[in-house]
Amino acid sequence: VGELYAYRLLDSRAILRILYWLVPKQAGVWGRVVPITHVPAHAEAAGAEPAARPLLRHGEPLLDGPADCGRLRMALSLLDVVGGFFSRGLARRRLDVWLVYLSRYLFCKTVSVDVRFALHDTLAALRPQLVLPDSYEQARRSSSSGSSSGVVLPDSYE
């Protein structure tokens, strides 16, 4: 996917759609489940979007468990390839909003040392001045204030 973006066969909206599919806006909210399934193209055209859903019953197994970092690894590898292109304008602001949601998602994960190093390397290359929140409460507040402030969210992800 990153090479398709580098050869200008995909635009920044497609990359952000993939990032929001990997880590949806609601993914870092306690008690929400990130489904493994995707939204079919005909449902997406009708306005559906991939999102975390509430638990259906107590004790429901989490498809995206606390120790499963597969989504995070995929997002980081995509950002390693195309993140440098998101350095100006609207694409930069949209990626910044997604990084806020990513910071909240990190508090719902047991991140191993190698993933933590990959995360810090990726963020240092993308946004060297970015400071990750110290607590879940800070991350939750920044995600709610970031979406209601002057930062522009992608059209199809609000």
Side-chain angles (χ1 to χ4, degrees):
V1 173
E3 290 181 16
L4 291 174
Y5 181 78
Y7 288 115
R8 296 186 179 163
L9 297 173
L10 291 177
D11 62 348
S12 63
R13 294 178 60 93
I15 298 298
L16 285 165
R17 180 176 290 145
I18 293 169
L19 289 173
Y20 274 98
W21 178 72
L22 289 171
V23 181
K25 279 178 21 175
Q26 300 90 356
V29 179
W30 293 110
R32 309 283 293 183
V33 177
V34 178
I36 290 178
T37 60
H38 70 286
V39 175
H42 67 279
E44 186 176 346
E49 63 183 46
R53 63 171 172 76
L55 292 171
L56 298 177
R57 63 185 184 284
H58 180 68
E60 178 181 2
L62 295 174
L63 299 175
D64 186 27
D68 182 15
C69 292
R71 290 175 179 271
L72 184 57
R73 287 177 193 268
M74 286 188 279
L76 291 177
S77 65
L78 181 59
L79 286 176
D80 285 339
V81 175
V82 301
F85 296 110
F86 287 80
S87 59
R88 293 181 273 122
L90 186 60
R92 178 186 175 94
R93 289 186 293 189
R94 288 179 174 175
L95 182 62
D96 288 344
V97 169
W98 184 81
L99 289 172
V100 169
Y101 291 118
L102 176 69
S103 69
R104 185 181 63 189
Y105 177 71
L106 292 173
F107 284 100
C108 297
K109 292 291 174 189
T110 306
V111 181
S112 62
V113 175
D114 62 327
V115 175
R116 184 148 315 266
F117 282 137
L119 175 71
H120 287 295
D121 290 345
T122 301
L123 293 180
L126 287 177
R127 306 287 188 267
Q129 292 83 18
L130 179 70
V131 177
L132 291 175
D134 294 328
S135 68
Y136 175 75
E137 190 60 34
Q138 279 182 332
R140 190 185 59 77
R141 268 189 272 120
S142 65
S143 66
S144 64
S145 67
S147 61
S148 62
S149 68
V151 179
V152 179
L153 285 172
D155 298 331
S156 59
Y157 307 113
E158 293 189 72

